[in-house]
Amino acid sequence: MRYVRRAMSDPTSTLDASLAEIDARFAAEFAACSDEQALRAAHAKILGRSGALTAALKEMGKLPADARKAAGQRVNALKQKVEAAFEERLQAIARAARDAELNATPFDLTLPGRVPAPRGHLHPISLVREDIFEVFKGLGFAVAHGPQVELEDYNFTKLGFPPDHPAMDMHDTFWVSPPPQAPDARVLLRTHTSNVQVREMLTNKPPLAVVSVGPCYRCDEDMTHTPMFHQMEGFMVDEHVSMAHLKGVLTAFVERLFGKRQVRFRPSYFPFVEPGVEVDMGCTFCDGAGCRVCKGTGFVEILGAGMIHPVVFEHCGIDPERYTGFAFGTGIERPAMLKYGIPDLRLMFENDVRFLAQF
Ligand code: DAH
């Protein structure tokens, strides 16, 4: 008994007993781990901060100096053995996982999902654009598109804007650097869709009935203006086109887009028409009774229009003695707001799905 007790308290044999115990069980413990997480936990129990082998290592300090070197070698040998077994088991686990994946029943990507994917839809501005096209296609108009980066000539000059017109100021119009091939070109982001009139009249000859919708740009930003906005433009040119056609087409347009409501025409001015008119319709918010939106008047302004100025015809190579025509234009956001009862212009551009999902 005494002998044994002495032997048990001998630091070298205590250390060796611990090493023997670790050595006896680590292989089985690693083999029992079937995933990486379990294996790492088993490894930590031996070589982690409070692991068995780490504890044994701390015991080394208690050994007599002459025994330390040999004991250190035994500890290190076991440590290497454990590490090697760990790495080997780690790789085996990874290999098994990969094999399981390869041998699994293949996943059919083409199967339909259990939850149907939510479907998006057109933005309210696009919805109104499509509505506008439908109405005008029904009236026999063709759809055309014009560039958003435009020459000053097509955006202003050919439409009869005098060279000192305030719309051309830097603070109203986004001017663009000319391309290197044409350093003297005066280029801008179109301020309205009326450039489509010029482009269509330069390339096609009457009879013409065309409508266009697209983005425009002005250096404007406040509660009711954004630097990018949308406009529609339309015009009709033929022999004997008169103001009566203008009134008939625009009244039909308002009725088809908004339902039957009052339409009124007021004299106005735009450089490219003579005479020019402003078109108002009965307010959709109060049905003409008078509210905040129509400022108590019962009417909201929805279009600018007029008989195409002879100067525009001349600039586009169309004989103003023979042909007459009318043109009209408006923003898209305003009619969209009126049609859907949207109170704030900025909602249109924030792209918040809670707003968009309501259409
Ligand atoms: N281009 C005008 C604007 O941006 C709108 C407009 C007014 C277009 C009268 C027309 C028109 O074709 O005849 O305010």
Side-chain angles (χ1 to χ4, degrees):
M1 267 315 252
R2 274 187 92 205
Y3 172 76
V4 173
R5 205 179 294 134
R6 206 184 300 138
M8 286 299 281
S9 58
D10 165 17
T12 309
S13 20
T14 310
L15 178 66
D16 283 343
S18 310
L19 295 185
E21 199 203 328
I22 296 168
D23 199 9
R25 62 185 167 91
F26 81 89
E29 279 174 5
F30 285 176
C33 297
S34 56
D35 61 41
E36 184 179 332
Q37 204 186 356
L39 180 66
R40 288 198 186 279
H43 177 263
K45 268 195 212 157
I46 301 170
L47 276 164
R49 217 139 51 110
S50 42
L53 192 51
T54 313
L57 233 115
K58 282 182 196 146
E59 292 297 309
M60 297 245 313
K62 293 182 188 158
L63 298 187
D66 59 348
R68 237 175 259 165
K69 190 170 173 212
Q73 282 169 352
R74 288 199 296 281
V75 169
N76 265 331
L78 180 58
K79 192 174 165 190
Q80 279 168 22
K81 206 165 144 187
V82 170
E83 291 291 17
F86 169 74
E87 285 304 327
E88 195 183 310
R89 183 70 192 133
L90 193 62
Q91 282 179 27
I93 287 173
R95 220 178 304 120
R98 202 174 48 237
D99 286 351
E101 211 170 283
L102 287 174
N103 296 328
T105 321
F107 173 64
D108 186 353
L109 280 173
T110 65
L111 282 176
R114 274 183 218 113
V115 185
R119 270 183 86 180
H121 58 72
L122 292 180
H123 188 277
I125 290 178
S126 305
L127 290 172
V128 172
R129 178 191 63 209
E130 295 310 307
D131 287 348
I132 290 171
F133 284 161
E134 277 318 299
V135 170
F136 281 105
K137 279 196 249 171
L139 293 169
F141 282 64
V143 171
H145 301 284
Q148 295 170 46
V149 181
E150 184 55 288
L151 295 169
E152 174 187 38
D153 194 34
Y154 291 179
N155 191 86
F156 289 129
T157 320
K158 283 196 167 28
L159 287 165
F161 283 76
D164 56 352
H165 195 285
M168 295 175 211
D169 286 353
M170 296 290 280
H171 53 260
D172 286 319
T173 298
F174 291 105
W175 291 90
V176 175
S177 317
Q181 317 87 282
D184 297 329
R186 305 229 336 138
V187 186
L188 45 76
L189 298 184
R190 68 173 176 187
T191 60
H192 53 184
T193 40
S194 303
N195 65 329
V196 176
Q197 272 190 53
V198 175
R199 290 186 166 264
E200 286 297 303
M201 284 198 253
L202 282 170
T203 48
N204 300 301
K205 294 303 150 207
L208 290 169
V210 177
V211 66
S212 185
V213 171
C216 303
Y217 305 85
R218 289 183 200 175
C219 310
D220 234 353
E221 178 139 44
D222 58 35
M223 292 277 282
T224 49
H225 296 88
T226 47
M228 189 279 305
F229 56 100
H230 295 78
Q231 276 199 346
M232 75 152 185
E233 181 85 14
F235 66 98
M236 186 172 167
V237 181
D238 200 357
E239 293 176 357
H240 314 302
V241 173
S242 74
M243 194 85 183
H245 296 108
L246 178 157
K247 291 179 78 173
V249 165
L250 295 183
T251 305
F253 164 65
V254 169
E255 280 182 6
R256 289 187 196 183
L257 201 63
F258 295 98
K260 190 142 186 74
R261 52 191 61 246
Q262 235 186 317
V263 179
R264 80 178 179 190
F265 296 81
R266 287 181 289 115
S268 186
Y269 172 78
F270 301 97
F272 38 92
V273 285
E274 180 58 38
V277 294
E278 210 95 56
V279 186
D280 303 338
M281 70 168 184
C283 178
T284 46
F285 280 83
C286 63
D287 249 333
C291 67
R292 204 174 46 84
V293 175
C294 60
K295 300 191 182 83
T297 63
F299 281 95
V300 285
E301 184 187 312
I302 53 154
L303 287 155
M307 298 306 293
I308 297 172
H309 201 291
V311 156
V312 178
F313 284 140
E314 271 169 21
H315 287 158
C316 298
I318 291 176
D319 180 2
E321 296 297 328
R322 182 172 169 199
Y323 293 106
T324 49
F326 65 86
F328 52 91
T330 186
I332 294 297
E333 284 80 6
R334 245 176 107 69
M337 288 168 78
L338 291 171
K339 190 173 158 91
Y340 295 117
I342 301 166
D344 189 329
L345 172 71
R346 289 165 296 190
L347 286 167
M348 301 272 208
F349 301 112
E350 284 167 359
N351 280 345
D352 187 328
V353 262
R354 287 169 303 180
F355 166 73
L356 296 175
Q358 294 177 38
F359 294 90

